Amino acid sequence: MKIPIIICGFGNVGRAFGSLLAQKALLLKEQYDLEVNVRAVVDIRGAAVAGDAPIPMEKLVEFCSNGGQVQDFAILGRPGLTSEQVADMVPASVWVEITPTNINHGEPGLGNIRTALYHGLHVITANKGPLVLRFKELMEIANARNVRIFYSAATAAALPTLDVGIVCLAGTHLISAEGILNGTSNYILTRMQEDDVPYAEALSEAQKLGIAEPDPSYDVEGWDTANKLVLIANGLFGAGVSLNDVTVQGIREITPVDIQKARENGKVIRLIGKIQRDEEQVIVRVAPLALDRNHPMASVSGSEKGITYSTDIMDRVTVTGGKSSPLGAAAAMMKDLINLAAQRRECS
Amino acid sequence: MKIPIIICGFGNVGRAFGSLLAQKALLLKEQYDLEVNVRAVVDIRGAAVAGDAPIPMEKLVEFCSNGGQVQDFAILGRPGLTSEQVADMVPASVWVEITPTNINHGEPGLGNIRTALYHGLHVITANKGPLVLRFKELMEIANARNVRIFYSAATAAALPTLDVGIVCLAGTHLISAEGILNGTSNYILTRMQEDDVPYAEALSEAQKLGIAEPDPSYDVEGWDTANKLVLIANGLFGAGVSLNDVTVQGIREITPVDIQKARENGKVIRLIGKIQRDEEQVIVRVAPLALDRNHPMASVSGSEKGITYSTDIMDRVTVTGGKSSPLGAAAAMMKDLINLAAQRRECS
């Protein structure tokens, strides 16, 4: 089966995705009978549009990694071509949206995803913004057009939070989810607890290692966790919540005294994103919590992530691990693409 | 979407499955647009076959739980009707095989599954025997008939070992899997290590709690783990192995000295089922191993189970938990049914 796709956004994650498609072409063909055919790559400046043959991804990635722009790529480059124009002129069945996340207005991803859906394309996205801001609207458009939106890469990348909920726990009633969804905060907390390093020092160490951003507030104040939680709560719990509905508390104010006190009680502090059904309501909250040592999230340490679902008929199911790098996000998108294709193949 | 099914085998797990379908009918309808329509229930003695209306599962479960036989159920009972006759005369699209596992010859499950596949029915099974003995043959029949075999319930019930490999890790190259797949052994080992209880005492305690069988050899000698491993190795690693290819060592000979020695080295002993790619070969082995305390399987304690997959592009992904009771197995089969229906719905 050939799947023609359009890639929108070609930064670190976009290029990792492009490389991965090239690297895995043989496996995709042999194991899944799948030929992913990149018909266009578009970013804010312009596009590269395939001729008869698909875009040679290895070459495009190399070109862009050496400072080239997509729009200047050999004879395929089309300076100034917009994503809307690409959606109009390039026949494809999947739109892969990998533009940077903006949590305030969601652009340019929000407009791009709307356009793709209106053109009848399935969407695979790593961009949290549009779905956090407009989950209901986008799902309604997708349903009306009979296409689907996959967003594994936006909900903890290679940690399979959504798949586990949708596929592995199908038929259960989800009572709650408790997750460590931000590797940066977890790294800092782990260092503070295991090695008695104070917050500021652990943070600066994480920054040196590239685990924390120069401005770490999005991670350490709990917003990254909150965004992922909104997607999981809406996608799995049908919660219909927005970021405003989430109570968010970060880890900045955790002191060595807190750490010591937790330790004396045999507990360990983790930044937990929690979704809890409470009669008709779904409560979503991010806060540092002192967990018993036998809580499944207590052993998730360093920059690892994890999530525990409590269900009615399958008891508690926990999943941990999964790479958090651009490669992990790219792998999550490729997985979404394979699963999308598998569902389509059942029909042929 | 209406799915007509036939249930074959109506012991503890079969009745749990029947009850679950009744209990979840509303959720199945509302959340998955799915009406599971039980057209026949058949066991070794005879069958109950639906008239115009589906078989009322709550009533049949109650009848059988009070000592009644399926074949004697009200006006629907058909004494002496065989599973083959049921397959011939009852139109359905899914065959749910829940007869007891026999690891030597696979019957009656093996014959039943063959019959179902030849009749063009999808198969969902909790019975390990047929697939452990005849994996390749059954998959080939299924492929030729364009139907599928789902066997979540045969590979650790509500712990989603297969789904995680097939769906969540799609596109990765699986390097290895290391799992605790038998709750009985893990319970005994945990008691031995955490509370310094000797093997015999821990075993007899597990028997009193109903965690271990009166004859515990299948569990404690590693055969249950080996059977599940064969299914996972064949299903996910394309290993083409049989039980004869598995090196199996159980936990009977673990002594307090072994426990003490592991503890001194900061390790913990677990009965690990391991699948490892070694160039072109896939090595499958069951043995008690001393794990570092930060190994993801080290924190799986008591009768819990878990599995860790190592991959090329997603790093390590671990899943733990999931109920091990008849309800857990029933929930796993219902999950398979929902996922099967979801794929069919994509096509409509």
Side-chain angles (χ1 to χ4, degrees):
Chain A
M1 183 201 264
K2 284 183 187 167
I3 297 219
I5 72 168
I6 294 166
I7 297 175
C8 182
F10 213 57
N12 285 337
V13 177
R15 293 199 300 271
F17 182 67
S19 295
L20 195 58
L21 289 182
Q23 176 200 326
K24 289 279 188 177
L26 190 65
L27 177 141
L28 292 174
K29 179 76 190 140
E30 288 184 348
Q31 204 163 322
Y32 302 97
D33 185 28
L34 192 62
E35 277 177 66
V36 181
N37 216 312
V38 182
R39 304 306 307 164
V41 176
V42 56
D43 67 12
I44 199 86
R45 292 183 189 84
V49 178
D52 288 342
I55 294 179
M57 290 311 292
E58 266 166 340
K59 284 183 187 160
L60 180 61
V61 169
E62 194 191 343
F63 178 74
C64 293
S65 298
N66 290 328
Q69 301 293 338
V70 168
Q71 61 170 6
D72 302 323
F73 181 58
I75 55 162
L76 307 181
R78 304 285 293 266
L81 204 69
T82 66
S83 53
E84 204 148 277
Q85 288 170 320
V86 167
D88 278 340
M89 63 182 271
V90 177
S93 59
V94 180
W95 182 277
V96 183
E97 179 70 27
I98 329 181
T99 48
T101 286
N102 180 298
I103 286 304
N104 299 314
H105 51 62
E107 298 300 349
L110 181 55
N112 291 339
I113 292 176
R114 276 196 195 112
T115 301
L117 296 173
Y118 281 128
H119 281 76
L121 275 68
H122 299 282
V123 168
I124 293 175
T125 183
N127 187 333
K128 290 183 204 55
L131 285 166
V132 168
L133 293 168
R134 293 279 186 273
F135 192 89
K136 190 157 169 274
E137 177 203 325
L138 295 175
M139 289 300 165
E140 281 171 359
I141 303 174
N143 287 337
R145 303 275 154 164
N146 203 22
V147 292
R148 293 189 56 187
I149 306 175
F150 287 79
Y151 50 105
S152 291
T155 52
L159 174 75
T161 56
L162 287 175
D163 296 337
V164 167
I166 294 170
V167 177
C168 306
L169 305 178
T172 66
H173 173 79
L174 293 177
I175 299 162
S176 68
E178 291 178 277
I180 294 176
L181 298 171
N182 181 267
T184 307
S185 312
N186 204 50
Y187 177 86
I188 293 171
L189 285 175
T190 303
R191 287 287 285 148
M192 289 174 76
Q193 290 171 94
E194 290 184 2
D195 309 291
D196 285 320
V197 175
Y199 172 81
E201 193 182 323
L203 169 61
S204 111
E205 185 185 291
Q207 285 169 323
K208 273 178 208 143
L209 290 167
I211 295 170
E213 303 280 335
D215 174 3
S217 39
Y218 181 67
D219 291 322
V220 299
E221 288 176 4
W223 293 105
D224 176 62
T225 303
N227 279 299
K228 290 169 182 162
L229 274 190
V230 166
L231 296 184
I232 296 168
N234 289 340
L236 298 182
F237 289 72
V241 292
S242 71
L243 211 46
N244 287 334
D245 301 312
V246 187
T247 313
V248 182
Q249 186 189 342
I251 62 166
R252 269 205 168 127
E253 281 150 38
I254 304 282
T255 64
V257 174
D258 298 326
I259 301 280
Q260 184 55 30
K261 205 171 137 193
R263 190 181 289 146
E264 281 164 14
N265 293 322
K267 298 198 173 193
V268 54
I269 298 177
R270 294 285 184 252
L271 182 64
I272 296 290
K274 185 161 183 174
I275 302 165
Q276 174 91 45
R277 271 192 218 280
D278 183 15
E279 299 186 1
E280 292 305 289
Q281 259 199 312
V282 176
I283 315 272
V284 186
R285 182 178 167 217
V286 181
L289 296 181
L291 306 177
D292 284 336
R293 292 215 170 256
N294 63 3
H295 188 288
M297 288 300 107
S299 52
V300 175
S301 64
S303 58
E304 268 214 326
K305 302 192 293 271
I307 193 162
T308 295
Y309 293 104
S310 295
T311 75
D312 56 345
I313 53 173
M314 288 195 180
D315 215 338
R316 218 162 55 168
V317 170
T318 296
V319 58
T320 61
K323 223 188 210 18
S324 300
S325 58
L327 176 60
M333 286 187 287
M334 193 177 73
K335 165 191 74 175
D336 283 350
L337 187 56
I338 293 168
N339 291 327
L340 167 63
Q343 289 173 350
R344 288 157 49 97
R345 184 169 25 245
E346 289 285 321
C347 313
S348 62
Chain B
M1 184 200 262
K2 282 184 188 167
I3 297 221
I5 73 168
I6 294 166
I7 297 174
C8 181
F10 212 57
N12 284 338
V13 178
R15 293 200 299 272
F17 182 67
S19 296
L20 195 57
L21 289 182
Q23 177 200 327
K24 288 281 187 176
L26 190 65
L27 176 140
L28 292 174
K29 180 77 191 139
E30 288 185 348
Q31 204 162 321
Y32 302 97
D33 186 27
L34 191 62
E35 276 177 66
V36 182
N37 216 312
V38 182
R39 303 306 307 165
V41 176
V42 57
D43 67 12
I44 200 83
R45 293 184 188 83
V49 177
D52 289 341
I55 294 180
M57 290 311 292
E58 265 167 340
K59 285 184 186 156
L60 180 61
V61 169
E62 194 190 341
F63 178 73
C64 293
S65 299
N66 291 328
Q69 300 294 337
V70 168
Q71 62 171 5
D72 304 323
F73 181 58
I75 55 162
L76 306 181
R78 304 285 293 268
L81 205 68
T82 66
S83 54
E84 205 147 275
Q85 289 169 319
V86 167
D88 278 340
M89 63 182 271
V90 178
S93 58
V94 180
W95 182 276
V96 183
E97 179 69 27
I98 330 182
T99 49
T101 285
N102 180 297
I103 286 304
N104 299 315
H105 51 61
E107 299 299 350
L110 181 55
N112 291 340
I113 291 176
R114 277 196 195 112
T115 302
L117 295 174
Y118 282 128
H119 281 77
L121 274 68
H122 300 281
V123 168
I124 294 174
T125 183
N127 186 333
K128 290 183 207 49
L131 284 166
V132 168
L133 295 168
R134 294 278 185 272
F135 193 88
K136 191 157 167 275
E137 177 203 324
L138 295 175
M139 289 300 165
E140 281 170 1
I141 304 173
N143 286 337
R145 304 276 154 164
N146 204 22
V147 292
R148 292 189 58 185
I149 307 176
F150 287 79
Y151 49 105
S152 292
T155 52
L159 175 73
T161 57
L162 288 175
D163 296 337
V164 167
I166 294 170
V167 177
C168 305
L169 304 178
T172 66
H173 173 79
L174 293 178
I175 298 161
S176 69
E178 291 176 279
I180 294 175
L181 299 171
N182 181 266
T184 306
S185 312
N186 205 51
Y187 178 86
I188 293 170
L189 285 175
T190 303
R191 286 288 285 149
M192 289 173 75
Q193 291 173 94
E194 289 184 1
D195 309 292
D196 285 321
V197 176
Y199 172 81
E201 192 182 325
L203 169 60
S204 108
E205 186 186 291
Q207 285 169 323
K208 272 178 208 142
L209 291 168
I211 295 171
E213 303 282 334
D215 174 2
S217 39
Y218 181 67
D219 290 323
V220 299
E221 290 176 2
W223 293 105
D224 176 61
T225 303
N227 279 300
K228 290 170 182 161
L229 273 191
V230 166
L231 297 184
I232 295 169
N234 290 339
L236 298 182
F237 289 72
V241 293
S242 72
L243 210 46
N244 288 334
D245 301 313
V246 187
T247 313
V248 183
Q249 186 189 340
I251 62 166
R252 269 203 168 130
E253 282 150 36
I254 304 281
T255 64
V257 175
D258 298 326
I259 301 280
Q260 182 55 31
K261 205 171 135 195
R263 191 182 290 145
E264 281 164 14
N265 293 321
K267 298 197 172 195
V268 54
I269 297 177
R270 294 284 185 252
L271 182 64
I272 295 292
K274 185 161 182 174
I275 303 165
Q276 174 92 45
R277 271 192 218 280
D278 182 15
E279 299 187 359
E280 292 306 288
Q281 261 199 310
V282 177
I283 315 273
V284 186
R285 183 179 166 215
V286 181
L289 295 180
L291 306 177
D292 284 336
R293 292 216 170 255
N294 62 4
H295 188 289
M297 288 299 107
S299 51
V300 175
S301 63
S303 58
E304 266 213 328
K305 301 192 294 274
I307 193 163
T308 295
Y309 294 103
S310 294
T311 75
D312 56 344
I313 53 173
M314 286 193 181
D315 215 340
R316 218 162 57 168
V317 170
T318 297
V319 57
T320 61
K323 223 188 207 28
S324 300
S325 58
L327 176 59
M333 286 186 288
M334 192 176 74
K335 165 191 73 174
D336 283 349
L337 187 57
I338 293 168
N339 290 327
L340 167 63
Q343 288 172 349
R344 288 157 49 98
R345 182 166 29 242
E346 287 285 320
C347 311
S348 62

mmCIF file of all heavy atoms in Angstrom, chain A residues 5 32 113-114 132 147 175 208 253 279-280 305 309 322 333 336 346:
data_model
loop_
_atom_site.group_PDB
_atom_site.id
_atom_site.type_symbol
_atom_site.label_atom_id
_atom_site.label_comp_id
_atom_site.label_asym_id
_atom_site.label_seq_id
_atom_site.Cartn_x
_atom_site.Cartn_y
_atom_site.Cartn_z
ATOM 1 N N ILE A 5 2.096 11.360 1.612
ATOM 2 C CA ILE A 5 1.963 12.249 2.768
ATOM 3 C C ILE A 5 2.585 13.619 2.495
ATOM 4 O O ILE A 5 3.409 13.780 1.586
ATOM 5 C CB ILE A 5 2.630 11.656 4.038
ATOM 6 C CG1 ILE A 5 4.166 11.693 3.928
ATOM 7 C CG2 ILE A 5 2.164 10.229 4.293
ATOM 8 C CD1 ILE A 5 4.870 11.387 5.240
ATOM 9 N N TYR A 32 5.099 -4.242 6.909
ATOM 10 C CA TYR A 32 3.757 -3.654 6.894
ATOM 11 C C TYR A 32 3.219 -3.438 5.480
ATOM 12 O O TYR A 32 2.156 -2.853 5.314
ATOM 13 C CB TYR A 32 3.767 -2.322 7.659
ATOM 14 C CG TYR A 32 4.225 -2.441 9.093
ATOM 15 C CD1 TYR A 32 5.541 -2.165 9.445
ATOM 16 C CD2 TYR A 32 3.350 -2.860 10.092
ATOM 17 C CE1 TYR A 32 5.980 -2.293 10.759
ATOM 18 C CE2 TYR A 32 3.768 -2.988 11.402
ATOM 19 C CZ TYR A 32 5.081 -2.699 11.730
ATOM 20 O OH TYR A 32 5.505 -2.822 13.031
ATOM 21 N N ILE A 113 -3.807 22.354 10.533
ATOM 22 C CA ILE A 113 -4.585 21.133 10.779
ATOM 23 C C ILE A 113 -6.009 21.308 10.263
ATOM 24 O O ILE A 113 -6.569 20.412 9.624
ATOM 25 C CB ILE A 113 -4.559 20.761 12.286
ATOM 26 C CG1 ILE A 113 -3.130 20.327 12.669
ATOM 27 C CG2 ILE A 113 -5.558 19.657 12.602
ATOM 28 C CD1 ILE A 113 -2.929 20.019 14.133
ATOM 29 N N ARG A 114 -6.586 22.480 10.508
ATOM 30 C CA ARG A 114 -7.930 22.747 9.957
ATOM 31 C C ARG A 114 -7.927 22.566 8.437
ATOM 32 O O ARG A 114 -8.791 21.881 7.879
ATOM 33 C CB ARG A 114 -8.352 24.189 10.271
ATOM 34 C CG ARG A 114 -8.964 24.382 11.633
ATOM 35 C CD ARG A 114 -9.704 25.745 11.655
ATOM 36 N NE ARG A 114 -10.007 26.138 13.023
ATOM 37 C CZ ARG A 114 -9.443 27.171 13.652
ATOM 38 N NH1 ARG A 114 -8.529 27.927 13.049
ATOM 39 N NH2 ARG A 114 -9.791 27.461 14.887
ATOM 40 N N VAL A 132 -4.739 21.162 22.276
ATOM 41 C CA VAL A 132 -5.036 21.637 23.630
ATOM 42 C C VAL A 132 -6.078 22.752 23.553
ATOM 43 O O VAL A 132 -7.022 22.795 24.339
ATOM 44 C CB VAL A 132 -3.751 22.127 24.341
ATOM 45 C CG1 VAL A 132 -4.091 22.884 25.617
ATOM 46 C CG2 VAL A 132 -2.833 20.941 24.647
ATOM 47 N N VAL A 147 -12.144 11.386 8.642
ATOM 48 C CA VAL A 147 -10.693 11.178 8.766
ATOM 49 C C VAL A 147 -10.339 11.184 10.249
ATOM 50 O O VAL A 147 -11.179 11.492 11.102
ATOM 51 C CB VAL A 147 -9.877 12.257 8.015
ATOM 52 C CG1 VAL A 147 -10.052 12.113 6.520
ATOM 53 C CG2 VAL A 147 -10.249 13.656 8.493
ATOM 54 N N ILE A 175 -10.948 4.942 35.629
ATOM 55 C CA ILE A 175 -11.261 5.631 36.878
ATOM 56 C C ILE A 175 -10.315 6.807 37.069
ATOM 57 O O ILE A 175 -10.719 7.897 37.422
ATOM 58 C CB ILE A 175 -11.143 4.649 38.061
ATOM 59 C CG1 ILE A 175 -12.154 3.507 37.877
ATOM 60 C CG2 ILE A 175 -11.356 5.376 39.388
ATOM 61 C CD1 ILE A 175 -11.856 2.277 38.701
ATOM 62 N N LYS A 208 22.725 22.030 31.676
ATOM 63 C CA LYS A 208 24.001 21.683 31.039
ATOM 64 C C LYS A 208 23.894 20.411 30.213
ATOM 65 O O LYS A 208 24.513 20.278 29.159
ATOM 66 C CB LYS A 208 25.098 21.517 32.106
ATOM 67 C CG LYS A 208 25.793 22.836 32.458
ATOM 68 C CD LYS A 208 26.829 22.636 33.551
ATOM 69 C CE LYS A 208 26.983 23.929 34.357
ATOM 70 N NZ LYS A 208 27.193 23.679 35.782
ATOM 71 N N GLU A 253 9.101 25.193 44.240
ATOM 72 C CA GLU A 253 9.148 25.505 45.674
ATOM 73 C C GLU A 253 9.451 24.309 46.565
ATOM 74 O O GLU A 253 9.342 24.394 47.794
ATOM 75 C CB GLU A 253 7.838 26.178 46.098
ATOM 76 C CG GLU A 253 7.846 27.646 45.697
ATOM 77 C CD GLU A 253 6.462 28.191 45.399
ATOM 78 O OE1 GLU A 253 5.515 27.802 46.106
ATOM 79 O OE2 GLU A 253 6.336 28.991 44.448
ATOM 80 N N GLU A 279 -17.694 11.374 40.158
ATOM 81 C CA GLU A 279 -19.075 11.322 39.680
ATOM 82 C C GLU A 279 -19.123 11.779 38.226
ATOM 83 O O GLU A 279 -18.449 11.174 37.387
ATOM 84 C CB GLU A 279 -19.995 12.126 40.600
ATOM 85 C CG GLU A 279 -19.943 11.517 42.005
ATOM 86 C CD GLU A 279 -20.920 12.116 42.982
ATOM 87 O OE1 GLU A 279 -21.693 13.003 42.611
ATOM 88 O OE2 GLU A 279 -20.918 11.669 44.146
ATOM 89 N N GLU A 280 -19.851 12.842 37.911
ATOM 90 C CA GLU A 280 -19.977 13.216 36.503
ATOM 91 C C GLU A 280 -18.791 14.044 36.008
ATOM 92 O O GLU A 280 -18.612 14.239 34.822
ATOM 93 C CB GLU A 280 -21.284 13.993 36.268
ATOM 94 C CG GLU A 280 -22.525 13.141 36.433
ATOM 95 C CD GLU A 280 -22.510 11.889 35.558
ATOM 96 O OE1 GLU A 280 -22.647 12.030 34.335
ATOM 97 O OE2 GLU A 280 -22.339 10.767 36.093
ATOM 98 N N LYS A 305 9.619 8.723 31.964
ATOM 99 C CA LYS A 305 8.231 9.109 32.168
ATOM 100 C C LYS A 305 7.384 7.841 32.351
ATOM 101 O O LYS A 305 7.872 6.733 32.146
ATOM 102 C CB LYS A 305 7.716 9.899 30.956
ATOM 103 C CG LYS A 305 8.534 11.161 30.674
ATOM 104 C CD LYS A 305 7.878 12.078 29.674
ATOM 105 C CE LYS A 305 7.797 11.497 28.286
ATOM 106 N NZ LYS A 305 8.936 11.764 27.429
ATOM 107 N N TYR A 309 -2.881 3.758 34.695
ATOM 108 C CA TYR A 309 -4.325 3.855 34.561
ATOM 109 C C TYR A 309 -4.989 2.929 35.565
ATOM 110 O O TYR A 309 -4.596 1.765 35.683
ATOM 111 C CB TYR A 309 -4.768 3.440 33.155
ATOM 112 C CG TYR A 309 -4.308 4.376 32.070
ATOM 113 C CD1 TYR A 309 -3.243 4.046 31.230
ATOM 114 C CD2 TYR A 309 -4.928 5.604 31.889
ATOM 115 C CE1 TYR A 309 -2.817 4.910 30.237
ATOM 116 C CE2 TYR A 309 -4.504 6.480 30.888
ATOM 117 C CZ TYR A 309 -3.450 6.118 30.068
ATOM 118 O OH TYR A 309 -3.028 6.985 29.088
ATOM 119 N N GLY A 322 10.240 4.837 27.107
ATOM 120 C CA GLY A 322 10.015 5.501 25.817
ATOM 121 C C GLY A 322 10.925 6.695 25.658
ATOM 122 O O GLY A 322 10.992 7.547 26.527
ATOM 123 N N MET A 333 5.354 9.237 15.711
ATOM 124 C CA MET A 333 4.566 9.611 14.528
ATOM 125 C C MET A 333 4.574 8.506 13.486
ATOM 126 O O MET A 333 3.569 8.249 12.831
ATOM 127 C CB MET A 333 5.092 10.914 13.938
ATOM 128 C CG MET A 333 4.693 12.099 14.797
ATOM 129 S SD MET A 333 5.124 13.661 14.034
ATOM 130 C CE MET A 333 6.892 13.597 14.278
ATOM 131 N N ASP A 336 2.115 5.998 14.542
ATOM 132 C CA ASP A 336 0.749 6.434 14.219
ATOM 133 C C ASP A 336 0.439 6.171 12.745
ATOM 134 O O ASP A 336 -0.663 5.741 12.390
ATOM 135 C CB ASP A 336 0.573 7.923 14.527
ATOM 136 C CG ASP A 336 0.403 8.214 16.015
ATOM 137 O OD1 ASP A 336 0.223 7.260 16.802
ATOM 138 O OD2 ASP A 336 0.451 9.402 16.396
ATOM 139 N N GLU A 346 -7.150 -3.096 6.368
ATOM 140 C CA GLU A 346 -8.233 -4.029 6.700
ATOM 141 C C GLU A 346 -9.397 -3.877 5.728
ATOM 142 O O GLU A 346 -10.181 -4.789 5.544
ATOM 143 C CB GLU A 346 -8.753 -3.756 8.117
ATOM 144 C CG GLU A 346 -7.818 -4.153 9.231
ATOM 145 C CD GLU A 346 -7.761 -5.655 9.454
ATOM 146 O OE1 GLU A 346 -8.808 -6.302 9.369
ATOM 147 O OE2 GLU A 346 -6.659 -6.172 9.698
#
